[in-house]
Amino acid sequence: MDAEPEYQGPVVTVDSVLFQLIQNELYVLLTQRAYEPFLGEWALPGGYNHRGETTHEALAGVLGRKAGIEYRALPLTMQLYTFDNVARDPRGHTISVTYMSLAHKAVPAGSDTTQNPQFFPVSKLPKLAYDHKDIILYALQRLRSRISHTNAIFALMPEKFTLTQLQTAYEAVLGHKLDKRNFRKRWLALDVLAPTDELAKDGAHRPAALYRFKQRKLQTLDPTFA
Amino acid sequence: MDAEPEYQGPVVTVDSVLFQLIQNELYVLLTQRAYEPFLGEWALPGGYNHRGETTHEALAGVLGRKAGIEYRALPLTMQLYTFDNVARDPRGHTISVTYMSLAHKAVPAGSDTTQNPQFFPVSKLPKLAYDHKDIILYALQRLRSRISHTNAIFALMPEKFTLTQLQTAYEAVLGHKLDKRNFRKRWLALDVLAPTDELAKDGAHRPAALYRFKQRKLQTLDPTFA
DNA sequence: ACAAAAGTGTTAAGAATACACCCATGT
DNA sequence: ACATGGGTGTATTCTTAACACTTTTGT
């Protein structure tokens, strides 16, 4: 980091992998490219990081402008990886700093943007621009790992939820079923859930107790969930 | 990522956290700054990432020029995190992509560089420029986590080593003692070590069997080591 | 009455931990 | 012969995994 007046660096971009559960399935937010390259193809929301703004600010701008989503309302965002695209990007040397966000209900405002933001199930992704498919799969891996030893799942859940909803969220992310009794035993032993005195009455069956997370922020939980 | 001809982005730098074991203690490579800001203070080896070179190439250049270390000889390098320094860096907006490397014996060639590269024990760090102390502590955390479920430790070991040396390496990184019998039982069950038919004779005691890693590349190991 | 999801404990298997003595060598 | 680190097994505890029936509600 010497003094070096005529510095010229790569173009810096940020890309966002925004996950959300819709009907017990994991969805990811994509936008349709309005410019070359990859005009018309689906891609992760992304954009330039200009001098003077943090990557988080750039991310907030991208999500707001391209998908109508308010970044500050997202309960959890974490950095994933920084990719070099020296050769791959048709526009020349860029590096992209990628973030993963989790949301409970982030509604993309397709109307006031040009990029047609939509959620796609992770299991049925369309053809994607760049290497964005790999990025999504990498993000999924990281997400699975995160929910296995932290409370990160809170960011995919509503304020109040039943234990069955929580279990279903895990199953959607992990891609396999879990044992009901073991799951409940574990979570109730963890001391991170608080019972509310409300019940969810949603059908012709016994009502379920509603719980909430004591802390809606990331914390590490020792045990691991399969 | 619209077309945007007058793009001006942040300065992109790379920083390297290079760990090495010296006499059963974990050391990190530092250089002494030859320019403002922080002239004369110790810092992680770092430098600009110019347009057209990958971050890995930039890293190789930095390690070569500032510390006389041949990047290609390092057995393991992984990306750590990308830090925003919009406000913090006195020279303006930079983002730094940080990497952690592990080496067995990387000899800094202090002579042909201006930056006085030296290894410092992680437990006794000097005052560091920027937030480099935090970066090192973060790297250490990641390293501990890595060696707990992968074979990453191979990158800190010589080609051939005794089980006691391997255990000592773990103890140096983790910062606590391990049980000898359990440690050996575990590693021999893992099927990642191959016995050589050589013995290490290094003192007035029974010679130790020398082992090597079957694969000297990163692989995941199911069990976790405390 | 029946359908549908909520709720609840025990047992068995496997993993992790604690622990102490004999062995081979150099001096 | 003694000092030094190398090498080895078992018993106990704890953790994880497997598993089925009763309860409460709406229709």
Side-chain angles (χ1 to χ4, degrees):
Chain A
M1 297 212 238
D2 326 335
E4 184 161 347
E6 353 88 78
Y7 171 79
Q8 204 192 17
V11 172
V12 179
T13 64
V14 294
D15 288 294
S16 161
V17 182
L18 173 55
F19 285 121
Q20 182 169 187
L21 291 173
I22 301 176
Q23 287 159 338
N24 297 338
E25 213 181 334
L26 191 67
Y27 279 66
V28 63
L29 178 66
L30 300 176
T31 55
Q32 204 163 16
R33 289 189 55 79
Y35 305 94
E36 290 293 349
F38 300 108
L39 174 66
E41 286 192 31
W42 293 97
L44 293 170
Y48 288 104
N49 186 182
H50 294 278
R51 181 159 300 185
E53 64 178 2
T54 65
T55 50
H56 281 281
E57 286 161 352
L59 193 65
V62 161
L63 284 171
R65 274 180 283 110
K66 303 212 169 170
I69 282 173
E70 197 188 356
Y71 174 75
R72 293 181 320 161
L74 300 176
L76 187 62
T77 296
M78 40 207 169
Q79 196 183 97
L80 279 178
Y81 197 81
T82 299
F83 296 89
D84 283 302
N85 302 331
V86 175
R88 216 157 54 256
D89 194 306
R91 289 162 315 158
H93 185 189
T94 70
I95 71 172
S96 71
V97 184
T98 56
Y99 285 89
M100 168 168 65
S101 298
L102 305 181
H104 165 54
K105 193 156 256 180
V107 182
S111 50
D112 60 342
T113 66
T114 48
Q115 313 233 342
N116 192 23
Q118 287 183 33
F119 280 94
F120 285 79
V122 170
S123 58
K124 286 167 226 138
L125 293 174
K127 182 169 184 344
L128 289 172
Y130 303 102
D131 54 353
H132 285 183
K133 185 161 196 165
D134 296 331
I135 296 178
I136 292 170
L137 294 178
Y138 176 69
L140 180 56
Q141 220 183 301
R142 287 281 293 270
L143 175 58
R144 285 177 173 158
S145 158
R146 271 303 170 94
I147 65 166
S148 295
H149 59 272
T150 73
N151 66 345
I153 197 83
F154 81 81
L156 292 172
M157 304 299 294
E159 173 69 20
K160 295 171 185 174
F161 51 87
T162 68
L163 291 180
T164 299
Q165 286 174 315
L166 187 65
Q167 182 176 341
T168 308
Y170 265 89
E171 291 172 342
V173 174
L174 296 176
H176 59 82
K177 294 283 177 198
L178 298 173
D179 180 274
K180 185 160 91 166
R181 279 179 287 188
N182 292 338
F183 183 87
R184 296 161 95 95
K185 213 186 309 173
R186 214 162 199 167
W187 274 95
L188 294 177
L190 275 173
D191 191 40
V192 291
L193 297 183
T196 68
D197 49 7
E198 297 168 66
L199 297 177
K201 304 194 187 195
D202 65 335
H205 56 84
R206 177 169 173 176
L210 284 167
Y211 291 82
R212 57 180 182 74
F213 278 91
K214 287 186 181 172
Q215 304 278 331
R216 289 197 131 247
K217 62 187 181 194
L218 196 61
Q219 49 187 153
T220 302
L221 311 174
D222 299 0
T224 56
F225 300 83
Chain B
M1 297 208 238
D2 326 335
E4 184 160 349
E6 353 87 78
Y7 171 80
Q8 204 192 17
V11 171
V12 179
T13 65
V14 294
D15 288 295
S16 162
V17 182
L18 174 54
F19 286 122
Q20 183 168 186
L21 291 172
I22 300 174
Q23 288 159 339
N24 298 337
E25 213 181 332
L26 191 67
Y27 279 68
V28 63
L29 178 65
L30 299 176
T31 55
Q32 204 163 15
R33 290 190 53 81
Y35 306 93
E36 290 292 350
F38 298 109
L39 175 66
E41 287 193 28
W42 293 96
L44 294 171
Y48 288 103
N49 186 181
H50 295 279
R51 181 160 299 186
E53 65 178 2
T54 64
T55 50
H56 282 279
E57 287 163 351
L59 193 64
V62 161
L63 284 171
R65 274 180 283 110
K66 304 213 169 168
I69 282 173
E70 196 189 355
Y71 173 75
R72 292 180 321 160
L74 300 176
L76 187 61
T77 296
M78 41 207 166
Q79 197 183 96
L80 279 178
Y81 197 81
T82 299
F83 295 89
D84 284 301
N85 302 331
V86 175
R88 214 157 54 257
D89 193 305
R91 290 161 314 157
H93 185 188
T94 69
I95 71 172
S96 70
V97 184
T98 56
Y99 285 88
M100 167 167 65
S101 298
L102 305 181
H104 164 55
K105 193 156 256 176
V107 182
S111 50
D112 60 341
T113 66
T114 48
Q115 312 234 340
N116 192 22
Q118 287 184 33
F119 280 94
F120 285 80
V122 170
S123 59
K124 285 168 224 137
L125 293 174
K127 182 168 182 347
L128 289 172
Y130 303 102
D131 53 354
H132 286 184
K133 185 160 197 167
D134 296 330
I135 296 178
I136 292 169
L137 295 178
Y138 176 69
L140 180 56
Q141 220 183 302
R142 287 280 293 269
L143 175 58
R144 286 176 172 159
S145 159
R146 271 301 171 97
I147 65 166
S148 296
H149 59 272
T150 72
N151 65 344
I153 197 85
F154 80 83
L156 293 172
M157 305 299 294
E159 172 68 19
K160 295 169 186 175
F161 51 87
T162 68
L163 290 180
T164 299
Q165 286 174 315
L166 187 64
Q167 181 176 342
T168 309
Y170 264 91
E171 291 172 344
V173 174
L174 295 175
H176 59 83
K177 294 284 178 198
L178 298 173
D179 181 273
K180 184 160 89 166
R181 281 181 286 190
N182 294 337
F183 183 86
R184 297 160 95 94
K185 210 185 313 173
R186 213 162 201 171
W187 275 95
L188 294 177
L190 276 174
D191 191 42
V192 293
L193 297 183
T196 68
D197 49 5
E198 297 168 67
L199 297 177
K201 305 194 188 200
D202 66 334
H205 54 84
R206 176 171 175 176
L210 284 167
Y211 291 82
R212 57 178 181 75
F213 279 91
K214 288 186 181 173
Q215 304 276 333
R216 288 198 133 247
K217 62 186 181 195
L218 197 60
Q219 49 189 151
T220 302
L221 311 175
D222 299 358
T224 55
F225 300 83

